[in-house]
Amino acid sequence: PVATTFLTPTDVATGQSTSPSLTCTPVAGADSYQLQLDTLASSTAQPGPTTFDNPQLAEQTSDPAYTVLAAQSLRPGRTYAWRVRAVREGVEGSWSTVRTFSTQTPAPDLLAPAAGAEISTLEPALRWTRVPYASGYALQLSADSVFTRLLAQSATGDTAYIPAGLTHATPYWWRVRAQFPGSLVSGWT
């Protein structure tokens, strides 16, 4: 079979989902496509001849588009290399050139209290969603929207924080970011 070419993600793409859709051009007469994906040692590593000796993911599909499932464990903030080839009547085509992409480091979603909410308690529970593979969270509470007057900073493994020392009728701003192994962090919420 004729070698296939990539469509998405583009080579060296950054900020990709941990469940990306990997697509290539369809090859006329192809019965299936074989896809291999592997982790690069670092974000500056280039794929070499041994990159796919023991791939993290090896799939055969009838569709030239393959979506990596959450259960297949692509990690945030990692660089991956992938390649694909067409198969027709049991004959494997040549592997495509290797492409790389990096996964995003997702930020948590703020759950409560909602932005602009008026609350009656002076010790509200600030809550956010858990982020897969996060090793912890950093939280900031501020008296201004640009976070120059910080009232609290906290590092926690939990998805909630209860501040102390708040006063009635005073606006506050808060934000959280996820922390990952290897000093990776998400953006602030």
Side-chain angles (χ1 to χ4, degrees), residues 107-112 127-132 134 137 158-159 174 176 178 189:
D109 292 320
L110 302 181
L111 297 175
R127 293 189 311 256
W128 56 93
T129 58
R130 184 167 304 285
V131 174
Y137 303 90
D158 202 355
T159 56
W174 66 289
V176 178
T189 54

Side-chain angles (χ1 to χ4, degrees), residues 149-172:
R149 296 187 301 153
L150 293 178
L151 304 173
Q153 291 191 80
S154 179
T156 179
D158 202 355
T159 56
Y161 175 81
I162 299 175
L166 302 183
T167 58
H168 285 291
T170 303
Y172 297 99

Side-chain angles (χ1 to χ4, degrees), residues 1-4 27 29-36 58-60 83-96:
V2 175
T4 185
V27 172
D31 304 314
S32 62
Y33 299 86
Q34 292 176 343
L35 172 118
Q36 290 182 331
E59 294 289 331
Q60 186 147 344
R83 64 184 183 174
V84 65
R85 67 180 169 191
V87 179
R88 184 167 84 199
E89 298 175 1
V91 177
E92 297 170 341
S94 300
W95 285 109
S96 63

Side-chain angles (χ1 to χ4, degrees), residues 66 123 181:
Y66 180 81
E123 294 183 346

Side-chain angles (χ1 to χ4, degrees), residues 2-189:
V2 175
T4 185
T5 56
F6 296 104
L7 294 176
T8 60
T10 59
D11 196 23
V12 195
T14 59
Q16 298 298 300
S17 162
T18 54
S19 294
S21 180
L22 307 174
T23 60
C24 63
T25 55
V27 172
D31 304 314
S32 62
Y33 299 86
Q34 292 176 343
L35 172 118
Q36 290 182 331
L37 180 139
D38 210 356
T39 308
L40 293 182
S42 74
S43 60
T44 60
Q46 294 297 313
T50 61
T51 300
F52 297 99
D53 286 346
N54 187 19
Q56 178 178 333
L57 178 68
E59 294 289 331
Q60 186 147 344
T61 177
S62 60
D63 194 335
Y66 180 81
T67 299
V68 177
L69 305 175
Q72 292 169 315
S73 299
L74 294 193
R75 299 287 180 119
R78 299 268 175 98
T79 300
Y80 292 91
W82 69 292
R83 64 184 183 174
V84 65
R85 67 180 169 191
V87 179
R88 184 167 84 199
E89 298 175 1
V91 177
E92 297 170 341
S94 300
W95 285 109
S96 63
T97 57
V98 175
R99 273 206 173 167
T100 63
F101 66 91
S102 298
T103 52
Q104 64 187 346
T105 50
D109 292 320
L110 302 181
L111 297 175
E118 291 188 28
I119 54 175
S120 58
T121 179
L122 293 178
E123 294 183 346
L126 307 178
R127 293 189 311 256
W128 56 93
T129 58
R130 184 167 304 285
V131 174
Y133 305 109
S135 57
Y137 303 90
L139 173 132
Q140 291 183 336
L141 177 69
S142 180
D144 65 72
S145 64
V146 293
F147 292 86
T148 58
R149 296 187 301 153
L150 293 178
L151 304 173
Q153 291 191 80
S154 179
T156 179
D158 202 355
T159 56
Y161 175 81
I162 299 175
L166 302 183
T167 58
H168 285 291
T170 303
Y172 297 99
W173 288 263
W174 66 289
R175 63 186 183 178
V176 178
R177 70 178 177 189
Q179 299 170 319
F180 300 91
S183 302
L184 295 172
V185 295
S186 72
W188 290 103
T189 54

